[in-house]
Each structure stands twice: as structure tokens, then as C-alpha cells.
Amino acid sequence: MKVHFANELERLAANDSRVVLVTGDLGFGAFEGFQERFPKQYLNVGVAEQNMIGVSTGLALSGFIVFAYSIGNFSTLRCLEQIRNDAAYHRANVKVVAMGGGFSYGPLGMSHHATEDIAVMRAIPEVLTLAPGSTRNVGECMTILASHQGTGYLRLDKSFADLRHDSVPFRFGTWPVLREGPRATLVSVGGILAEVLDAADTLASEGVFCRVVNAVQLSQIQPESIGDSLGDAKHIFTVEEHVRTGGLFGLVSESIARLRMSREVVALSIGDEFETSVGSQSYLRTQHELSAHQIAETVRSLVSQT
């Protein structure tokens, strides 16, 4: 998704000179084109993420639309105080970008796992939190963030779903429904959408048709909109490369409770523990039963009981 982010940022910067990229000495192999085309709209602050958010807030309060980019936890947990107190409290146009959601940087160990970020960022008041599941979603999210007045969070992933050109687009305040089916609803966030779609295709080949929902927006979305996207299936499965607490499972469960809907929500997630293993994203997903095969197996076993 990094390359698609860079391409979309160039498009935004070409149309609006207020769009600025601030990076914490990262993005090599993707941002050279932006730096060459828009040298006055690019700033590398070095390996200093807290300062990156402070500088970004200053620029935003001076009239710029700032995308502040780093990887994994570095753009969120390392500078959470600055995001909360400097940017969000002042409704500054700082769009915090984390490349490497979930286990994207699995080979580098738990310090690089972004597995609590959704819970943290969606809890900060007035921060628009978005997590694209496909490369097309990246452009849709960035267009929304650029026009949104206030602080935002964009969670990018090394993996992504390859959506068809005619797939339902993401629009602010909605969750696109990508597959229809009455047996169960699978709600996915981020790049693991690719695994969920594969699992849904496997189940459909067996006659178990499931609705698939792409939960791109994780804050500033109404419970009624979430409820509409879930459909009428009794079983709802939330699938996320994130700890169980406070992420997609929490958001769906909160919405169902507020709407007083009678549904069973099953969390397919990392669980509430640190991952101490080192390995690729696909390997770590398998360790937590989040591969397409394992998702299909879990859904199949529970749906077959009803």
C-alpha cells in the first residue's frame, strides 16, 4: 500500500499546494518522486516521531494539510501524547499515517507489531480513523482525509485485497458490502480482507454463502450505519489483525448493544497477549488462526451447528 499512498499523495499535492508530507526518515523507494516534484511540500524530520507530530501540528495550524508518515507503532504509540494534546485537541489538519498495520513487520518482532493502534486511535476524541483493505481504498481514504477538517489516522498494511473494478466503493460513514450471503456476516478491517474474501469464496463453493463487509472507517460512524451493513445473519464474525480489546470486535459489539440487536459476535483476532514469535505476516496470521483456510474452518464449524 505504500506505493499507492505515495502516488495518491502526489495527486493531492498537485491539486492543492497546502498538502505536505512530513516523514520520520522513512518511505525510501516510494517518496523520491514526491520529493522531486514537490520539494517545498516535503520535510524529513529524521528519526524523531514525537517532533514529527509537533512540527506537523505547527504546519497544520499555519494552514497546511499535513500527512505525517512513519511505520508500525512509531507514528502512533511513540508519540501518542503529541497526537492527543497537540494535534487532536486543536483539531489540527494532521493526518497520522502508519505503514505496517498488524503483523506487516512481523520479522522485526513485537516492537514493530501494530496490534493495539485501532483501539488507541479510535478512543481519541475527534480523530477520524481509517484502515483501507484494498489499494483502491487507499485513494478513497486519502481523499476523505484531505478534505476532513481535523486530525485523522490512516492505517496502511503490507497486504491488501485485490478488489474488482466494479466493487462497492468506500464512502464516508458507510461500510461497503462486498459479498452477499445469508448464512453469516464476516466483517474485516485492513489488509486481512484478502484472507476473508478467499475464505468466503471457499465457503460459497460449499454452499455456505456469507456476507463480507469491509470496515474501512473505525470512528465517526453511526451505529445505525454499522447495523445496516451487518445484514440479518445470526452469526457475525469480526476478523482483524489486532488485539481483541478495543478494535473491530469492540466497535461491532458496541454498535449492536446500542441498537439492542440480538446477534452473536465471534472475534477472530490476535487475542489479548503479546506475540513473541518472529516471522512473516502470513506465518503469524496462521499462528492466530487468521489464514483464509482457518477462517473458513471456524465459520463452517459454527454455522453448521445452527
Side-chain angles (χ1 to χ4, degrees):
M1 288 187 179
K2 178 171 66 175
V3 173
H4 291 271
F5 167 77
N7 292 339
E8 288 296 326
L9 196 62
E10 287 192 37
R11 179 183 63 82
L12 291 173
N15 293 325
D16 191 338
S17 61
R18 296 175 300 162
V19 173
V20 173
L21 171 63
V22 178
T23 177
D25 206 32
L26 289 163
F28 305 111
F31 295 154
E32 286 81 2
F34 186 95
Q35 184 179 6
E36 183 177 344
R37 287 185 65 190
F38 310 103
K40 295 183 178 180
Q41 293 166 253
Y42 174 85
L43 179 62
N44 184 347
V45 300
V47 184
E49 290 82 7
Q50 293 167 326
N51 185 51
M52 177 180 74
I53 298 301
V55 169
S56 296
T57 301
L59 288 168
L61 294 178
S62 299
F64 291 95
I65 301 168
V66 186
F67 286 83
Y69 176 97
S70 187
I71 67 171
N73 290 324
F74 300 157
S75 61
T76 54
L77 300 188
R78 179 169 289 178
C79 44
L80 182 58
E81 179 181 346
Q82 286 73 27
I83 293 171
R84 178 182 182 270
N85 295 357
D86 297 350
Y89 180 71
H90 294 96
R91 297 187 178 128
N93 271 330
V94 176
K95 321 306 177 181
V96 181
V97 183
M99 177 62 221
F103 293 132
S104 292
Y105 289 99
L108 298 180
M110 66 80 60
S111 63
H112 285 61
H113 297 168
T115 52
E116 308 89 13
D117 57 313
I118 293 174
V120 171
M121 296 302 289
R122 81 176 186 91
I124 303 176
E126 302 187 40
V127 174
L128 176 58
T129 300
L130 304 177
S134 72
T135 53
R136 194 180 78 176
N137 289 158
V138 174
E140 295 164 339
C141 288
M142 291 179 67
T143 298
I144 289 171
L145 285 170
S147 62
H148 172 73
Q149 179 61 47
T151 304
Y153 175 51
L154 181 65
R155 186 197 208 229
L156 301 176
D157 200 322
K158 280 196 171 183
S159 66
F160 54 86
D162 185 14
L163 296 185
R164 298 188 303 267
H165 178 72
D166 60 348
S167 292
V168 179
F170 163 60
R171 294 188 176 91
F172 182 84
T174 66
W175 281 356
V177 177
L178 305 180
R179 297 281 194 281
E180 292 287 0
R183 296 298 300 278
T185 295
L186 313 182
V187 189
S188 172
V189 60
I192 203 168
L193 175 63
E195 306 278 359
V196 173
L197 289 170
D198 285 347
D201 289 344
T202 296
L203 290 166
S205 70
E206 302 168 2
V208 181
F209 295 95
C210 300
R211 173 177 283 215
V212 176
V213 180
N214 185 13
V216 180
Q217 185 172 344
L218 300 157
S219 67
Q220 301 184 26
I221 182 170
Q222 295 301 313
E224 292 78 8
S225 179
I226 292 176
D228 289 343
S229 72
L230 297 177
D232 299 323
K234 176 183 177 182
H235 297 289
I236 298 170
F237 297 84
T238 58
V239 188
E240 57 190 316
E241 208 166 313
H242 187 276
V243 295
R244 183 178 298 111
T245 300
L248 180 61
F249 172 69
L251 177 56
V252 171
S253 299
E254 292 162 16
S255 300
I256 287 176
R258 291 177 65 180
L259 295 170
R260 299 183 179 181
M261 299 169 66
S262 179
R263 301 292 179 82
E264 178 185 1
V265 184
V266 179
L268 304 184
S269 64
I270 295 172
D272 294 324
E273 68 271 344
F274 288 112
E275 175 53 65
T276 57
S277 299
V278 173
S280 67
Q281 186 173 28
S282 60
Y283 169 77
L284 293 175
R285 284 177 176 175
T286 301
Q287 294 297 103
H288 293 272
E289 300 186 351
L290 291 173
S291 69
H293 169 74
Q294 292 165 317
I295 293 168
E297 185 175 339
T298 300
V299 173
R300 185 189 301 113
S301 64
L302 291 178
V303 170
S304 64
Q305 297 173 14
T306 59

